Amino acid sequence: MKLKQKLAELVPQWRAEITEIRKKYGNKKIMDDTVAHVYGGMRGLKALVCDTSEVFPMEGVKFRGYTIPEVRKLLPKAKPDGEPLPEGIWYLLLTGEIPTEEDVKEITEEFHKRAEVPDYVFKVIDSLPKETHPMVQFSIGILANENDSIFRKRYEEGMKKTEYWDATFEDALTLLARLPVVAAYIYRRTYKGDTKLDYRKDLDWAANFGHMLGIDNEEFYELMRLYLVLHADHEGGNVSAHTNLVVNSALSDLFYSVSAAMNGLAGPLHGLANQETLRWIQALRSKFGGIPTKEQLEQFVWDTLNSGQVIPGYGHAVLRVTDPRYTAEREFALKYMPDDELFKIVSLLYEVVPPILKQLGKVKDPWPNVDAHSGVLLWHYGVKEYDFYTVFFGVSRAMGLTAQAVISRAYGLPIERPKSITTRWLKENLDKLPDAEA
Ligand code: HAX
């Protein structure tokens, strides 16, 4: 495969560079730990390396240096002026280069070759009650594929350390090829009476996912392409990305680490926020019998806050502006569904929520994140089972997780083992500790 050959050329260069940096500058200080870090979710602590993407407070995510508008413009598409193909973002995350149409086609074809999911995986999923949350089914479904891990088999055979990235890349291809099949199976068994739909080799990865869900609509295919690109990666420190990296650092293969990452993505402060947003918007729509007035909406937002809940889809640990992924989803809605009632509510929330969150005084980012919008798009095309929304996120995020893991293995990063401290030690030493440099 040409992509693998390209990586085989890049990896020795990366490795030499990292070795040099570690050797020459290993002792350079990046920043000081503070008490605030250890009790504050390590917010802002520069403790990891991730080269696939970076999140900037005022600009949002950049994939290998490219903004979302750039990625939407530059990556190969299924049709002119359409949305980019997710296979292209995976290539970009892995290599740092914008792929050609041929590069993207090669990945699609490789996925087609590897998409057959063993029957026992479906049986494992079938053994779960149908009301099991789709993210649980998804995480278990991913893990059930581990039997086919090339990394584990080659490790058992004594694979050299310099080959770890290669075996991880092989697992990444298999995992990504199978994910839409597993996800669509979960959707169909949970909500559509066990009617599994055939895999279509004439479609790209995203469109085929849409097809297997049962939504054969060109606009929905475009939404899938956009959705899977937008959610692909968000640097290395968020819960799912970091979980993947830490598990993978123990040389557990990608099936273990991506399954573990999905368990973190399933949390309401992380990926589940898109499900929560839709639940909340539906509640307000049924309370007001349609689109509320601005005053009614303001009251509803205050009632949510006063009952001790967060406003789902708003706020972010890093961002301090409207998430550009939200903006891209909004552009899609304005193009394809400007009159949709739920979209109108989402637009009204965009006017109402930020001023209220600002008034609270403690919320660092009062602006919407990606999860404030994505559910409404899915609902419009008939995916009304919002328990399933985080699975879409998971299929997409697996691209970033796999790319990050291939690169970590290429760099030869060791097992993660940060140092924890006790509150007792802190109490005994607090007076002696120096202040961090401003
Ligand atoms: N509604 C109400 N209060 C909020 C809030 C929101 N949307 N966002 C933050 N706050 C509150 C926090 O709960 C915190 O309150 P306390 O001090 O009383 O605990 C305070 O404002 C300061 O928080 P912060 O520093 O601004 O935000 P954090 O970095 O701690 O948390 C979160 C970031 C995304 C978890 C947070 O903004 C939140 O809970 N948002 C709602 C859930 C959500 O949309 N999550 C998805 C985020 C994107 C993502 O990861 N997707 O996968």
Side-chain angles (χ1 to χ4, degrees), residues 43 265 268-271 273 305 309-317 325 357 360 362-365 369-371 393:
R43 202 69 87 257
L265 192 69
L269 296 187
H270 192 16
L305 291 168
Q309 297 168 63
V310 294
I311 305 301
Y314 280 75
H316 200 272
R325 300 172 297 175
L357 290 182
L360 285 184
K362 64 176 182 178
V363 183
K364 296 196 189 70
D365 173 37
N369 61 59
V370 67
D371 295 324
F393 196 157

